[in-house]
C-alpha cells in the first residue's frame, strides 16, 4: 500500500471510530420515538396532517423531553392492518424505538395493539385510530390511547337532536364498516334511551358513490336524516339528494360537516344552516388554548390545511402525552419503562380542547363538542360550538351493565325502529 | 415411456409461445440417457447437477437466522419465503401452464380465512377453536377445492381472458369477505390468529417460523422442479405450447389445466396458512386488488422461467417495501414498484433471472474471448479469429 | 347456436327476471322505476368509459388496464382547466384532448414495440396504471374534487311515476346515445372507420392492402383514450374525482366489455345496460351483497360464453 493509501485508511478508521463513539454517547441522551401514519393511498392527506400535528408537539418542546433529545423515526402504511404491523415491527425491532406513536385507522389500531402485547419493552401510544375494540376487547397493558374514539365523539348529539332540534324520527345513511357503526352507536345510545326512533338504516357499501337508489328508498315520514359519511361523500350525497327532490334536514357525523361540505355550491346551501354535528374538536372553539394551537399550526406549516384537521389534532395530543410523560419521569425509561407507564396512566393531559384522563383500559376520557352550522359575518359557513359534553368515557356515559348489554356497535346494534 | 422420450415427442426445444412473446424456453439441462431405467436415470441426473452454487445457497439459507438479527429473520426472511411460495404457485401456472391467474392470492386468502374461522382467533363468536393440525389440513383442502373450482371456471379462457376472469373471481371474493359479517367478520376480519406451540417451540417466534417457512418453501420448490420433468408436468407444458397437438395425441388439455390449477392451489394454500400465521390476522384487505397485483409483480420480477424466480422476486419486493422509506420517501413506494415493474416488463420479460442469465452469458463470452485472445496471440490473424469463435460457445450447452 | 337453444337460454334467465320485475312494480312502483332509470343512466356512464376500452382491444388486441388511469388523469386535468377557465365545456374538451394525447404517446412510445405480445402489453399497462395512480396522488393529493357545471345541468326534472329525477343523469343518457351513434357512424361510414373494422377482422390483410397500419392504430388508441378522459370529466361531475376511482372504473369497464363482448361497441352498450341495471337493483334491493353480483355475472359469462354475449371468437 502506498503512503497515501495508508493515510486515507487511517483517516477513515479514525472517522469511523469517532462516529461510533459519538453515536454511543449520543444514544444515551436520545429517546427514539417511532411515528406511523397512513402516507399512501386515499388517506394520505390525513396521514400527512397527522404527522404535522405530531411534529408540532415535538417542536413545542424544542425537541427535548425529560432532559433528553427526541428523535422521530417515521414510517408509513396504507390503511391495511398487515402493512401497519410490518411497519411497526420495523420501527420497533430494526430501528429500536422506545416509544411508538400511531397508527391512523381503526383496523390498523387493533392489529398494532395485538402486536404490542409481544413487545412488552416498548410503550405504544395511539395515533388517531378510533375503533372501539382496540381498548374494549382484549386491551393491551402497554397500549395507551389519549384520544376519544368514534362512539365517544357522538355522545350528547342524540340528546341535542331530540330535545333541542325536536327530531323525533330519523333515517340513517352511513357506510358499512366499523367506524360508522361506532359513530351511530354513540348517537343512538343517547337518542334511543330518550325515546327517539331510527326507523330506517341504509348501510352503503364502502366506496360506493352512487346514492340514487339509497335515496329512492328513504322513507318520507322522518323528521331528519342522520348522515355519517366522509366530507366529500357527504357532498355527493347532498347533491344527489337535492336533485332527487329531497328536503329533510340533516344531522352529521364527526367527519361529515367539514370544509368541503360547508363550501357546497348547491341550491340547498341555505338549508345547511343549523345542521348539528359532534366531534372531539371544532374549528371555532373559543378558548385561548385552541386559538394558540391553530395559530401555531398555521405558522409552522405553510403547506398544510387552512386549519388543523382532526388527524393533526389527535396526533398532536397523543405525541404531547408521550412527551409530557417523559417530562414527568425525567426521561427515566428503565425497568421496562414501568415508571413511565405509571406516569402515563395518571397523566392529566392539558390539551387545546380541555383536560384528558385515562380510564382503566388506558382509553381517554375527554370532551365532546356539539356544533351547528352557522353563517359568519363575512357570509362563509362555519361550525359554531353550541354545547360541550365535558367527560365522555368509553361506556358512552351509560352504566357498566347497560353498556355491556348493548355490546359494540354493528349493523343492528343499537336498534330502535 | 421415459421422461426423455416424452421430451423428444413433445419437440421440447422448439420455440414456444410462452408469455414473453415467442422466445425459446430453455431446454432441460439434463442430457438424455437411454440405458438406465427412468427413476435411476433421473436420480443420477439430479446428483450430477448439484453444483457448488447449490450447496452454497442452501447453506446460506439454512444459516441465515444465526447471522442476522431477529427482525431480518422474521420480517424479511419469513415474509419473503411466504410470499415467494404463493408467487411460486403463480409461476407454476403461468410459466409452465401458460395460464396467468391473478386469483392465487385469493386461494391463499381462502385457506387463511379457513384457519381463522375454524381455529382460534380474537373473534370467539365466529371461530370454532378446533385443534390446529386439523384446521391446517382442512384449510389446505379447502383452498385446493376453491382453486379447482376457479380452474374449472377459467379453463376455457386463455391469455388475457384468464387474467380477467381470475381478477373478477378475486374481486367477488373480496367483496364477499368484506360485506359478510356472519362468517367472514366483514371489514374487521380476524385478529390474533397465531401459530401454535408445538413440542415446546412457539412457531410465532422468528427462528422457528423461519425454518417452518423455509421447509415449506423448499418443499414447494423441489416439488415444482420435480413436477415439471414428470410426465404430468411435461404434458402440461405441451398443452401450453400446443393444445391441439396434445389433444390429437390423446391428452385432455382441459383435465391437465384443471389439475394444474389444483396443484397450484395446494401450493398457494400452504402459503396462505403461513401468511395468516405470519401476519397474525386476515382481513379483506389481504385479498384485495393490491395484494393480487403484488403477487403478480413478485412473480414477474423474479422471472417465470424457473421455480427460484418467485423467491428472488419476493426478496427484492420485501426489501424494497421495508427499506424504501430510508432511501426515498416511503410515500412514493408504489411509484418505485411500478417503475421497477415497467422496466422489467420492457427490457427483461424474464425478470431478474433473465438479466442474471444474460449477465452470465456475457461474462462467459468475455472470458472465453479473453482466453482465446491470449491463446491466439501467436497465431496469424485469420486463424485466431476462427479459434475465438469456437471457444466462445461453451461445449454442451444449447 | 340453434334457434331453440338460444330461446331456451333467454327464457331460462328471462322468466325469473320478469317475475321479479312484476313483484318489484307491485311492491313499490316508484322505487322500481327510479332504480331502472338510475341503472340506465349509470349504464350510460359505463358505456362512455367502456367504449374506448373495447375499441382499443378490438383493433389492437391490447387490454389496456391503464384505461382507468386515463379516466382519472383526464378528470384531474379537466378539473384544473375548468378551475382556470371557469368553463365546464372547456374542462370536458381538455379532459378528452389530454387523455387522447396520452394514449397517442403510449401507443407510439411503448406499445408499438410490443406488437403481438398480448400478455406483455397487459403487464406494461398494469405497471403504467400503478405509476399513473401514484403520480396523480402526488400532484393532487388525497382530496376529492368537484366540478362546477352550468346551473341548468344540475337540477331536477319532474318525471311521471318517478317524481323528481336528477337532470344531469338524463343529460348523461343523452350524451351516451349521441356518442354511441357518433361512434357507429364513424366506424360504419368513414374511411378510417372502415379501415378499423377491416383491421379488427384481419390485420395482416389490412397492412397488405397498403394502409399505414401504425397510423390507424395510433388514431384508434387516441380515440379510445380520449373517450376515457371525456368520461372522466363527465363522470366526475356526477360522482366527483378521488384516488381509487381509476380502479373502480377500470373494473367496471372490464366487466362491461367482457359481458358484452370484446371488440364490439354494440356489445359495450349491451354490457353496460346489464351491469348498470344489476348494480343499481343490487344496491336498492340487496345492498349488502349487491356488489358481489356484478363480478359473479362477469365470472359466469366468461365461464360459459368466453367471448361475451356479442363477442366474436378470435
Amino acid at each position: 500500500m502506498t503512503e497515501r493509501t495508508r493515510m486515507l485508511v487511517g483517516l477513515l478508521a479514525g472517522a469511523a471510530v469517532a462516529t461510533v463513539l459519538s453515536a454511543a454517547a449520543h444514544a444515551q441522551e436520545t429517546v427514539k420515538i417511532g411515528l406511523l401514519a397512513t402516507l399512501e393511498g386515499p388517506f394520505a392527506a390525513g396521514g400527512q396532517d397527522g404527522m404535522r400535528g405530531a411534529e408540532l408537539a415535538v417542536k413545542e418542546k424544542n425537541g427535548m423531553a425529560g432532559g433528553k433529545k427526541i428523535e422521530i423515526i417515521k414510517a408509513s402504511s396504507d390503511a391495511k392492518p398487515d402493512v401497519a404491523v410490518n411497519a411497526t415491527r420495523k420501527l420497533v425491532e430494526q430501528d429500536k424505538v422506545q416509544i411508538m406513536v400511531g397508527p391512523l385507522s381503526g383496523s390498523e389500531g387493533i392489529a398494532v395493539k395485538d402486536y404490542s402485547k409481544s413487545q412488552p419493552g416498548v410503550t405504544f401510544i395511539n395515533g388517531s385510530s378510533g375503533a372501539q375494540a382496540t381498548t374494549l376487547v382484549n386491551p393491551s397493558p402497554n397500549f395507551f390511547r389519549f384520544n376519544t374514539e368514534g362512539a365517544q365523539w357522538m355522545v350528547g348529539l342524540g340528546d341535542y337532536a331530540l330535545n333541542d332540534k325536536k327530531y323525533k324520527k330519523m333515517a340513517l345513511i352511513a357506510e358499512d364498516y366499523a367506524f360508522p357503526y361506532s359513530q351511530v352507536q354513540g348517537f343512538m345510545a343517547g337518542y334511543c334511551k330518550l325515546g327517539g326512533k331510527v326507523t330506517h338504516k341504509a348501510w352503503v357499501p364502502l366506496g360506493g358513490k352512487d346514492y340514487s337508489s339509497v335515496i329512492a328508498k328513504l322513507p318520507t315520514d322522518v323528521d331528519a336524516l342522520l348522515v355519517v359519511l366522509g366530507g366529500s361523500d357527504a357532498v355527493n350525497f347532498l347533491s344527489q339528494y337535492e336533485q332527487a327532490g329531497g328536503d329533510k334536514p340533516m344531522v352529521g357525523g364527526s367527519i361529515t360537516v367539514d370544509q368541503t361540505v360547508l363550501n357546497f355550491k348547491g341550491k340547498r346551501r341555505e338549508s345547511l344552516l343549523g345542521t348539528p354535528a359532534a366531534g372531539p374538536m371544532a374549528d371555532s372553539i373559543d378558548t385561548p388554548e385552541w386559538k394558540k394551537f391553530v395559530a401555531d399550526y398555521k405558522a409552522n406549516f405553510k403547506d398544510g390545511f387552512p386549519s388543523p384537521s382532526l388527524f393533526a389534532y389527535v396526533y398532536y395530543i397523543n405525541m404531547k402525552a408521550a412527551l409530557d410523560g417523559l417530562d414527568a419521569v425525567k426521561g427515566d425509561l428503565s425497568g421496562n419503562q414501568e415508571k413511565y407507564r405509571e406516569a402515563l396512566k395518571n397523566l392529566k393531559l392539558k390539551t387545546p380542547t380541555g383536560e384528558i384522563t385515562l380510564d382503566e383500559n388506558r382509553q381517554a376520557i375527554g370532551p365532546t363538542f356539539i356544533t351547528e352550522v352557522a353563517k359568519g359575518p363575512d357570509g362563509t359557513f362555519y361550525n359554531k360550538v353550541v354545547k360541550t359534553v365535558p367527560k365522555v368515557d368509553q361506556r358512552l356515559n351509560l352504566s357498566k351493565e347497560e353498556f355491556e348489554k348493548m355490546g359494540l356497535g354493528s349493523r343492528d346494534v343499537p336498534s330502535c325502529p | 415411456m421415459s421422461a426423455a422420450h416424452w421430451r423428444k415427442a413433445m419437440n421440447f426445444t422448439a420455440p414456444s409461445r410462452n408469455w414473453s412473446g415467442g422466445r425459446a424456453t430453455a431446454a432441460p439441462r439434463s442430457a438424455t440417457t437411454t440405458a438406465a431405467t427412468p427413476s435411476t436415470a433421473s436420480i443420477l441426473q439430479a446428483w450430477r447437477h448439484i453444483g457448488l452454487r447449490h450447496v452454497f445457497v442452501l447453506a446460506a439459507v439454512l444459516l441465515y437466522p444465526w447471522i442476522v438479527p431477529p427482525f431480518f429473520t422474521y420480517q424479511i426472511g419469513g415474509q419473503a419465503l411466504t410470499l415467494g411460495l404463493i408467487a411460486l404457485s403463480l409461476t407454476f401456472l403461468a410459466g409452465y401452464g401458460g395460464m396467468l391467474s391473478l386469483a392465487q392470492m385469493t386461494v391463499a386468502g381462502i385457506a387463511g380465512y379457513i384457519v381463522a374461522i375454524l381455529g382460534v382467533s380474537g373473534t370467539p363468536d365466529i371461530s370454532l377453536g378446533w385443534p390446529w393440525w386439523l384446521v391446517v389440513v382442512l384449510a389446505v383442502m379447502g383452498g385446493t377445492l376453491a382453486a379447482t373450482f376457479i380452474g374449472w371456471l377459467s379453463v376455457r379462457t386463455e391469455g388475457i381472458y384468464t387474467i380477467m376472469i381470475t381478477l373478477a373471481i378475486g374481486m367477488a371474493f373480496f367483496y364477499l369477505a368484506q360485506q359478510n359479517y356472519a362468517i367472514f367478520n366483514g371489514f374487521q376480519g380476524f385478529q390474533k390468529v397465531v401459530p401454535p406451540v408445538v413440542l415446546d417451540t412457539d412457531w410465532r417466534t422468528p427462528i422457528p417460523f423461519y425454518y417452518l417457512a423455509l421447509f415449506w418453501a423448499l418443499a414447494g420448490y423441489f416439488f415444482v422442479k420435480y413436477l415439471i420433468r414428470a410426465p404430468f408436468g411435461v404434458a402440461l407444458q405441451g398443452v401450453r405450447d400446443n393444445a391441439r397437438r396434445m389433444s390429437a395425441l390423446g391428452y385432455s388439455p382441459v383435465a391437465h389445466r384443471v389439475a394444474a390449477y389444483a396443484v397450484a392451489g395446494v401450493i398457494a394454500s400452504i402459503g396462505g396458512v403461513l401468511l395468516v400465521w405470519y401476519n397474525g390476522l386476515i382481513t379483506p384487505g389481504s385479498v384485495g386488488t393490491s395484494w393480487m397485483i403484488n403477487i403478480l409483480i413478485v412473480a414477474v420480477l423474479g422471472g417465470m422461467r424457473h421455480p427460484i424466480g418467485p423467491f428472488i422476486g419476493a426478496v427484492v419486493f420485501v426489501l424494497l417495501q421495508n427499506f424504501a422509506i430510508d432511501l426515498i420517501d416511503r410515500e412514493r413506494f408504489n411509484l418505485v414498484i411500478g417503475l421497477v415493474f415497467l422496466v422489467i416488463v420492457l427490457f427483461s420479460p424474464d425478470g431478474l433471472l433473465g438479466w442474471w442469465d444474460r449477465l452470465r452469458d456475457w461474462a462467459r463470452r468475455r472470458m472465453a474471448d479473453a482466453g482465446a485472445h491470449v491463446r491466439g496471440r501467436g497465431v496469424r490473424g485469420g486463424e485466431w479469429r476462427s479459434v475465438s469463435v469456437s471457444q466462445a460457445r461453451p461445449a454442451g450447452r444449447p | 347456436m340453434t334457434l331453440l337453444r338460444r330461446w331456451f337460454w333467454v327464457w331460462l334467465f328471462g322468466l325469473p327476471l320478469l317475475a321479479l320485475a312484476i313483484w318489484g312494480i307491485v311492491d313499490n312502483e316508484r322505487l322500481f322505476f327510479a332504480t331502472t332509470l338510475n341503472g340506465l343512466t349509470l349504464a350510460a356512464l359505463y358505456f362512455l368509459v367502456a367504449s374506448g376500452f373495447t375499441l382499443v382491444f378490438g383493433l389492437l388486441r391490447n387490454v389496456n388496464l391503464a384505461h382507468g388511469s386515463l379516466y382519472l388523469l383526464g378528470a384531474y386535468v379537466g378539473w384544473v382547466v375548468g378551475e382556470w377557465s371557469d368553463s365546464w365545456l372547456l374542462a370536458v374538451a381538455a379532459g378528452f384532448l389530454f387523455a387522447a394525447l396520452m394514449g397517442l404517446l403510449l401507443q407510439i412510445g411503448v406499445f408499438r414495440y410490443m406488437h403481438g405480445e398480448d400478455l406483455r402489453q397487459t403487464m406494461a399497462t398494469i405497471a403504467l396504471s400503478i405509476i399513473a395512480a401514484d403520480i396523480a396522488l402526488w400532484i393532487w393529493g388525497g382530496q376529492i374534487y368537484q366540478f362546477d357545471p352550468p346551473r341548468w345541468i344540475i337540477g331536477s326534472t319532474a318525471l311521471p311515476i318517478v317524481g323528481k329525477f336528477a337532470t344531469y343523469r338524463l343529460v348523461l343518457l343523452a350524451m351516451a346515445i349521441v356518442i354511441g351513434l357518433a361512434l357507429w357512424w364513424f366506424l360504419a361510414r368513414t374511411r378510417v372507420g372502415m379501415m378499423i373494422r377491416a383491421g379488427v377482422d384481419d390485420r395482416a390483410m389490412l397492412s397488405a392492402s397498403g394502409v399505414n397500419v401504425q397510423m390507424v392504430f395510433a388514431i384508434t388508441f387516441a380515440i379510445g383514450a380520449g373517450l376515457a378522459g371525456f368520461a372522466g370529466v363527465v363522470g366526475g361531475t356526477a360522482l366527483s374525482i378521488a384516488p381509487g376511482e381509476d380502479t373502480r372504473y377500470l373494473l367496471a369497464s372490464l366487466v362491461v366489455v367482457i359481458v358484452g363482448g370484446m371488440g364490439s361497441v354494440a356489445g359495450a352498450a349491451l354490457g353496460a345496460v346489464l351491469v348498470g341495471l344489476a348494480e343499481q337493483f343490487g344496491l336498492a334491493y340487496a345492498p349488502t351483497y349487491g356488489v358481489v353480483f356484478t363480478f359473479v355475472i362477469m365470472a359466469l359469462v366468461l365461464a360459459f360464453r368466453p367471448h361475451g354475449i356479442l363477442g366474436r371468437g378470435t
Side-chain angles (χ1 to χ4, degrees):
Chain A
M1 254 201 282
T2 65
E3 182 68 43
R4 201 156 22 131
T5 321
R6 246 175 285 169
M7 239 176 43
L8 201 58
V9 171
L11 266 176
L12 281 173
V17 169
T19 331
V20 168
L21 278 179
S22 68
H26 190 71
Q28 286 162 354
E29 298 301 336
T30 325
V31 172
K32 288 199 197 168
I33 303 186
L35 183 57
L36 175 65
T38 307
L39 294 178
E40 297 162 54
F43 288 105
Q48 274 172 338
D49 217 30
M51 289 220 165
R52 286 188 206 118
E55 284 168 13
L56 186 62
V58 176
K59 215 176 262 193
E60 268 185 5
K61 297 212 184 242
N62 293 318
M64 304 275 292
K68 299 203 182 151
K69 191 168 173 324
I70 301 292
E71 185 187 333
I72 302 280
I73 306 181
K74 293 191 191 171
S76 150
S77 71
D78 62 355
K80 288 213 284 281
D82 44 358
V83 177
V85 171
N86 275 339
T88 311
R89 195 181 291 125
K90 173 172 182 284
L91 284 174
V92 167
E93 295 181 33
Q94 172 73 356
D95 298 320
K96 305 261 187 284
V97 301
Q98 291 141 303
I99 303 172
M100 191 52 225
V101 173
L104 185 136
S105 78
S107 43
E108 290 177 310
I110 299 179
V112 169
K113 173 215 42 173
D114 284 331
Y115 173 71
S116 72
K117 293 186 189 169
S118 69
Q119 295 289 339
V122 175
T123 304
F124 290 77
I125 301 181
N126 189 36
S128 69
S129 81
Q132 294 171 292
T134 316
T135 45
L136 273 180
V137 178
N138 297 322
S140 161
N142 53 335
F143 189 92
F144 295 79
R145 179 152 63 177
F146 283 92
N147 60 292
T148 46
E149 39 93 332
Q152 289 168 284
W153 290 350
M154 296 284 268
V155 169
L157 187 61
D159 180 356
Y160 188 79
L162 188 59
N163 294 326
D164 289 76
K165 305 292 280 191
K166 309 277 185 257
Y167 299 146
K168 297 200 179 35
K169 257 207 251 178
M170 296 185 64
L172 166 70
I173 298 107
E175 278 191 307
D176 201 0
Y177 71 109
F179 177 70
Y181 296 162
S182 60
Q183 291 249 288
V184 169
Q185 183 180 28
F187 176 86
M188 284 175 71
Y191 188 71
C192 295
K193 193 170 172 196
L194 295 168
K197 305 247 169 274
V198 176
T199 55
H200 179 85
K201 284 188 183 182
W203 298 105
V204 180
L206 248 184
K209 287 198 164 43
D210 195 348
Y211 301 104
S212 36
S213 298
V214 172
I215 293 171
K217 268 174 96 170
L218 286 175
T220 39
D221 58 346
V222 292
D223 298 319
L225 303 175
L226 177 62
V227 181
V228 185
L229 300 169
S232 38
D233 288 336
V235 176
N236 270 332
F237 174 77
L238 277 179
S239 324
Q240 293 171 30
Y241 186 62
E242 173 191 334
Q243 288 167 16
D247 56 1
K248 302 267 181 241
M250 214 173 70
V251 173
S254 307
I255 48 172
T256 306
V257 196
D258 68 358
Q259 289 298 320
T260 353
V261 169
L262 292 177
N263 291 325
F264 176 55
K265 291 195 180 84
K267 277 192 289 204
R268 286 192 64 230
R269 199 169 129 78
E270 293 299 318
S271 68
L272 274 181
L273 283 173
T275 303
M281 58 164 249
D283 291 337
S284 62
I285 297 176
D286 211 5
T287 57
E289 294 90 4
W290 177 257
K291 293 204 168 105
K292 175 172 183 303
F293 172 65
V294 177
D296 281 345
Y297 174 89
K298 284 198 199 155
N300 275 301
F301 302 112
K302 299 277 184 283
D303 60 339
F305 294 134
S307 179
S309 71
L310 192 70
F311 296 107
Y313 170 67
V314 171
Y315 264 84
Y316 169 81
I317 54 180
N318 276 308
M319 181 60 93
K320 186 166 192 293
L323 300 175
D324 280 356
L326 275 174
D327 278 337
V329 296
K330 303 218 190 331
D332 179 8
L333 289 173
S334 62
N336 236 12
Q337 303 193 0
E338 251 196 67
K339 283 200 224 146
Y340 180 61
R341 287 180 198 163
E342 267 308 303
L344 284 178
K345 272 188 226 168
N346 300 322
L347 195 61
K348 288 197 194 329
L349 187 65
K350 298 217 178 326
T351 71
T353 55
E355 192 182 78
I356 288 192
T357 52
L358 294 184
D359 68 8
E360 74 272 14
N361 288 325
R362 290 160 297 285
Q363 164 64 30
I365 302 175
T368 294
F369 297 89
I370 315 268
T371 60
E372 256 195 33
V373 178
K375 199 188 256 192
D378 55 352
T380 52
F381 285 17
Y382 74 103
N383 283 313
K384 186 175 71 168
V385 178
V386 293
K387 207 165 152 191
T388 312
V389 185
K391 272 185 177 342
V392 182
D393 67 8
Q394 205 172 14
R395 298 211 172 80
L396 312 175
N397 292 359
L398 300 171
S399 73
K400 194 161 187 273
E401 294 79 37
E402 272 179 316
F403 185 75
E404 276 178 13
K405 194 154 150 255
M406 203 189 324
L408 290 184
S410 73
R411 279 188 197 138
D412 307 307
V413 168
S415 184
C416 49
Chain B
M1 280 208 253
S2 73
H5 203 148
W6 280 117
R7 263 175 245 120
K8 281 218 322 233
M10 294 303 108
N11 196 8
F12 201 84
T13 51
S16 62
R17 281 166 310 169
N18 67 9
W19 82 276
S20 56
R23 289 177 40 169
T25 50
R29 293 159 187 265
S30 59
T32 55
T33 60
T34 42
T37 58
S39 51
T40 53
S42 51
I43 292 176
L44 280 176
Q45 286 160 23
W47 277 112
R48 198 180 310 172
H49 292 284
I50 293 183
L52 189 63
R53 69 175 191 276
H54 294 120
V55 174
F56 182 66
V57 167
L58 194 63
V61 142
L62 280 171
L63 292 176
Y64 174 76
W66 307 104
I67 321 173
V68 298
F71 168 76
F72 270 85
T73 310
Y74 193 69
Q75 184 142 318
I76 308 289
Q79 194 181 21
L81 289 169
T82 310
L83 288 179
L85 193 59
I86 303 178
L88 178 67
S89 70
L90 202 160
T91 303
F92 172 70
L93 268 182
Y96 298 99
M99 303 168 274
L100 192 66
S101 156
L102 283 178
Q104 295 309 108
M105 197 56 178
T106 307
V107 171
I110 291 176
Y113 263 109
I114 295 179
V115 169
I117 296 171
L118 295 181
V120 176
S121 83
T123 320
D125 13 328
I126 302 181
S127 300
L128 294 177
W130 290 356
W132 69 270
W133 46 270
L134 180 63
V135 166
V136 167
V137 168
L138 287 174
V140 174
M141 276 171 53
T144 312
L145 261 168
T148 319
F149 178 64
I150 294 175
W152 177 73
L153 277 178
S154 325
V155 77
R156 278 195 285 163
T157 61
E158 50 179 29
I160 5 141
Y161 288 97
T162 314
I163 301 182
M164 290 193 286
I165 189 174
T166 50
L167 182 63
I169 296 172
M171 290 308 302
F173 178 70
F174 165 76
Y175 279 113
L176 179 67
Q178 192 183 269
Q179 296 294 105
N180 176 293
Y181 278 84
I183 307 179
F184 291 98
N185 206 23
F187 186 75
Q188 283 299 102
F190 291 92
Q191 316 280 338
K192 285 168 64 92
V193 186
V194 289
V197 178
V198 180
L199 301 173
D200 271 350
T201 11
D202 183 1
W203 278 355
R204 191 93 206 275
T205 47
I207 296 188
F209 181 80
Y210 174 82
Y211 280 117
L212 180 71
L214 182 64
F215 170 73
W216 285 110
L218 284 173
Y221 172 75
F222 284 118
F223 175 65
V224 171
K225 270 201 87 160
Y226 159 75
L227 197 63
I228 57 184
R229 292 169 204 274
F232 170 70
V234 177
L236 183 68
Q237 290 171 82
V239 168
R240 173 197 69 191
D241 291 338
N242 197 326
R244 201 180 291 183
R245 200 187 278 179
M246 288 300 287
S247 172
L249 283 168
Y251 295 95
S252 161
V254 170
H256 276 88
R257 284 189 176 144
V258 175
Y261 271 101
V263 166
V266 172
I267 302 175
S269 308
I270 299 176
V273 171
L274 286 172
L275 188 68
V276 77
W277 281 351
Y278 167 80
N279 279 321
L281 53 89
I282 187 156
T283 64
S286 319
V287 296
T289 21
S290 55
W291 271 114
M292 288 197 277
I293 301 276
N294 281 343
I295 294 289
L296 176 69
I297 292 178
V298 165
V300 172
L301 199 58
M304 293 216 234
R305 271 198 305 117
H306 191 275
I308 196 76
F311 293 102
I312 298 177
V315 168
V316 173
F317 181 81
V318 165
L319 283 174
L320 268 177
Q321 207 181 36
N322 277 285
F323 295 107
I325 196 172
D326 294 329
L327 302 170
I328 17 110
D329 250 338
R330 160 86 197 209
E331 284 184 48
R332 300 273 79 83
F333 165 70
N334 276 317
L335 185 62
V336 170
I337 274 281
L339 279 170
V340 169
F341 191 41
L342 186 65
V343 162
I344 296 271
V345 169
L346 289 178
F347 300 113
S348 176
D350 279 332
L352 292 171
L353 272 184
W355 259 337
W356 171 249
D357 273 349
R358 259 184 279 171
L359 195 71
R360 256 197 335 193
D361 285 343
W362 173 85
R364 200 171 285 133
R365 243 179 294 128
R366 280 292 299 267
M367 286 199 325
D369 273 349
H373 187 78
V374 164
R375 245 172 301 227
R377 217 178 268 163
V379 182
R380 276 182 295 130
E383 280 179 49
W384 167 81
R385 212 166 285 130
S386 61
V387 162
S388 71
V389 163
S390 64
Q391 290 279 20
R393 195 167 295 129
R397 301 196 64 82
Chain C
M1 224 200 269
T2 66
L3 204 65
L4 188 66
R5 282 264 289 282
R6 194 179 301 172
W7 279 111
F8 168 72
W9 282 111
V10 170
W11 283 119
L12 184 66
F13 285 113
L15 267 178
L17 285 175
L18 196 63
L20 280 171
I22 295 177
W23 170 82
I25 299 179
V26 164
D27 180 54
N28 184 341
E29 200 181 44
R30 191 181 154 267
L31 179 63
F32 181 81
F33 284 110
T35 314
T36 313
L37 209 51
N38 283 329
L40 287 174
T41 50
L42 185 65
L45 180 59
Y46 284 165
F47 171 73
L48 286 173
V49 185
S51 53
F53 189 74
T54 200
L55 202 63
V56 165
F57 178 76
L59 178 62
L60 296 155
R61 288 276 169 273
N62 181 352
V63 180
N64 180 14
L65 292 179
H67 197 72
S69 315
L70 289 166
Y71 174 97
L72 191 63
L73 284 176
Y76 277 126
V77 168
W79 182 84
V80 166
V81 169
E83 286 290 294
W84 168 78
S85 70
D86 264 338
S87 157
W88 183 73
L89 287 169
L90 209 59
V92 173
F96 175 83
L97 288 169
F98 178 77
L101 186 67
M102 285 285 114
L104 203 65
L105 289 172
L106 281 178
Q107 168 62 21
I108 298 178
V110 177
F111 298 127
R112 190 167 51 157
Y113 301 106
M114 289 194 228
H115 194 69
E117 302 172 45
D118 305 342
L119 281 182
R120 193 165 164 216
Q121 283 179 337
T122 309
M123 301 272 174
T125 55
I126 293 179
L128 286 165
S129 72
I130 300 176
I131 296 174
D134 205 53
I135 292 184
L137 195 60
W138 197 0
I139 302 181
W140 284 287
Q143 296 116 298
I144 310 226
Y145 294 87
Q146 304 273 338
F147 283 93
D148 200 9
R151 278 278 159 262
W152 63 269
I153 286 190
I154 305 288
S156 19
T157 342
L159 293 173
I161 305 178
V162 174
K164 282 189 163 188
F165 195 76
T167 314
Y168 188 66
R169 295 184 82 106
L170 297 172
V171 170
L172 254 183
L173 190 58
M175 257 194 269
I177 295 178
V178 165
I179 292 198
L181 288 172
L183 264 178
W184 171 82
W185 178 84
F186 172 71
L187 286 173
R189 295 270 185 267
T190 61
R191 271 203 83 211
V192 183
M194 185 174 69
M195 287 192 246
I196 292 179
R197 275 184 300 131
V200 171
D201 282 339
D202 195 333
R203 250 195 301 211
M205 272 312 276
L206 182 70
S207 163
S209 58
V211 172
N212 182 352
V213 174
Q214 286 302 327
M215 196 182 68
V216 177
F217 285 178
I219 293 178
T220 314
F221 210 111
I223 295 178
L227 277 170
F230 171 81
V233 177
V234 161
T237 315
L239 296 173
S240 71
I241 1 168
E245 288 296 284
D246 52 347
T247 331
R248 198 167 101 82
Y249 282 100
L250 172 68
L251 288 173
S253 316
L254 269 178
V255 180
V256 163
V257 160
I258 286 173
V259 167
M262 292 277 239
S264 155
V265 174
L270 177 64
V273 166
L274 281 173
V275 170
L277 285 175
E279 218 178 273
Q280 285 298 323
F281 273 96
L283 206 58
Y285 290 97
T288 316
Y289 295 110
V291 239
V292 188
F293 287 170
T294 23
F295 292 105
V296 169
I297 290 180
M298 174 172 163
L300 285 176
V301 169
L302 263 182
F304 296 110
R305 248 189 103 71
H307 292 289
I309 299 183
L310 288 184
R312 53 190 104 187
T314 33

